[in-house]
Amino acid sequence: SAVISQKPSRDICQRGTSLTIQCQVDSQVTMMFWYRQQPGQSLTLIATANQGSEATYESGFVIDKFPISRPNLTFSTLTVSNMSPEDSSIYLCSVVGGLAGSSGELFFGEGSRLTVL
Amino acid sequence: QKEVEQNSGPLSVPEGAIASLNCTYSDRGSQSFFWYRQYSGKSPELIMSIYSNGDKEDGRFTAQLNKASQYVSLLIRDSQPSDSATYLCAVNRVAGKLIFGQGTELSVKP
C-alpha cells in the first residue's frame, strides 16, 4: 500500500482562524479522499479530491468551509476555514489501493488532530 | 436506521478466546465490506476486506459476509491483549466512499 504522510500531525488553533493540512503520497494515486473523525465518533467522508478539477463534497460539507486542492496525483491539501470548537477533529487523508484504485481498499494517513479553542 | 450499525461495546474477552464482532448495513447495493482496527490516538488500519458471500480467513482473522441478511462479521481467534482496540466496520458502493459504523471497542484481558 502507498505511504501517506500528513502535516501537521496535530495543532491547537484559535477560533476564527484557518488551517491547511497537507497530504503527500509516495506514489501516484487516482483517488484521494478526506475524512473527518470527531471526538468519540466514527469517520465521515468530507470530499473526494479530484486532480485537475474541483473537489466533490458530501452532504453537509461545503467548499467555502473546507476548500481542497489537488494539484497533482501525489498531493492534496484540505483547509479548515474560520474554525470553531466544533471543528475540533482528526482529519484523515486517504487513498484507494491498487492500480488505478482497483483494489477498492482504502488506506489512511496518520491523521491531523486539530483542537480549536 | 443507521446505514452501518455495530454494537459499541465494550466487548471484553479473555486472552486466547474468540472475539466476535458484528455489523449490519442497510444499503443492499453495497459492494465491498471492510474491517478496520483503530488503536487509541491512531488512524484506522485495514485488517480485512470481503466482497462475496462466505468466509475469508487471514491468519487469526476471519471475515464473514451474508448479503441476504445484510450482515458482516469479524472473528478474531486466539485473542491477544494487543488486539484491544476499536474495530470499525465499513461498507461502500463506490470505491473510496466508505460508510463507517460507530465501532466496537474490544478489550482482551490477560
Side-chain angles (χ1 to χ4, degrees):
Chain A
S1 61
V3 176
I4 308 167
S5 302
Q6 283 185 236
K7 290 194 297 185
S9 58
R10 59 178 63 233
D11 206 340
I12 299 174
C13 308
Q14 295 301 314
R15 183 194 301 258
T17 63
S18 299
L19 183 80
T20 296
I21 302 166
Q22 298 180 4
C23 178
Q24 179 74 53
V25 188
D26 69 342
S27 59
Q28 293 186 340
V29 293
T30 306
M31 307 174 79
M32 187 178 285
F33 305 87
W34 288 97
Y35 281 78
R36 179 176 75 179
Q37 187 172 31
Q38 294 178 298
Q41 302 297 312
S42 193
L43 285 79
T44 302
L45 177 62
I46 297 172
T48 303
N50 300 308
Q51 196 269 326
S53 64
E54 266 193 15
T56 307
Y57 291 84
E58 298 300 306
S59 176
F61 298 96
V62 295
I63 187 171
D64 289 346
K65 177 66 176 177
F66 297 102
I68 288 170
S69 78
R70 178 102 192 260
N72 56 53
L73 291 176
T74 65
F75 186 79
S76 178
T77 67
L78 168 75
T79 299
V80 186
S81 303
N82 187 25
M83 285 185 284
S84 67
E86 292 72 32
D87 295 319
S88 297
S89 296
I90 302 172
Y91 293 86
L92 294 147
C93 174
S94 60
V95 304
V96 178
L99 189 64
S102 59
S103 79
E105 297 173 339
L106 194 67
F107 298 94
F108 290 92
E110 311 98 327
S112 299
R113 182 184 296 269
L114 302 188
T115 301
V116 184
L117 302 178
Chain B
Q1 180 188 9
K2 293 181 180 178
E3 293 188 67
V4 179
E5 296 207 51
Q6 299 179 249
N7 292 327
S8 61
L11 173 66
S12 183
V13 301
E15 183 175 355
I18 296 174
S20 177
L21 305 161
N22 304 314
C23 174
T24 58
Y25 60 94
S26 60
D27 184 357
R28 284 193 174 273
S30 299
Q31 298 290 325
S32 308
F33 307 84
F34 306 93
W35 283 98
Y36 287 83
R37 177 176 62 199
Q38 186 173 27
Y39 292 113
S40 180
K42 301 294 186 182
S43 64
E45 172 192 11
L46 179 67
I47 54 173
M48 289 289 284
S49 57
I50 187 165
Y51 305 99
S52 55
N53 282 328
D55 295 359
K56 179 181 178 183
E57 186 174 318
D58 184 0
R60 295 185 297 112
F61 299 98
T62 299
Q64 300 173 318
L65 175 62
N66 183 326
K67 289 186 178 180
S69 299
Q70 296 174 246
Y71 175 90
V72 58
S73 65
L74 179 70
L75 300 177
I76 306 175
R77 290 182 298 281
D78 187 24
S79 295
Q80 301 296 310
S82 59
D83 295 326
S84 298
T86 296
Y87 289 80
L88 300 166
C89 172
V91 305
N92 76 355
R93 297 185 68 179
V94 176
K97 296 190 174 186
L98 299 189
I99 309 296
F100 283 84
Q102 288 295 104
T104 298
E105 182 184 349
L106 173 66
S107 177
V108 181
K109 304 294 187 184

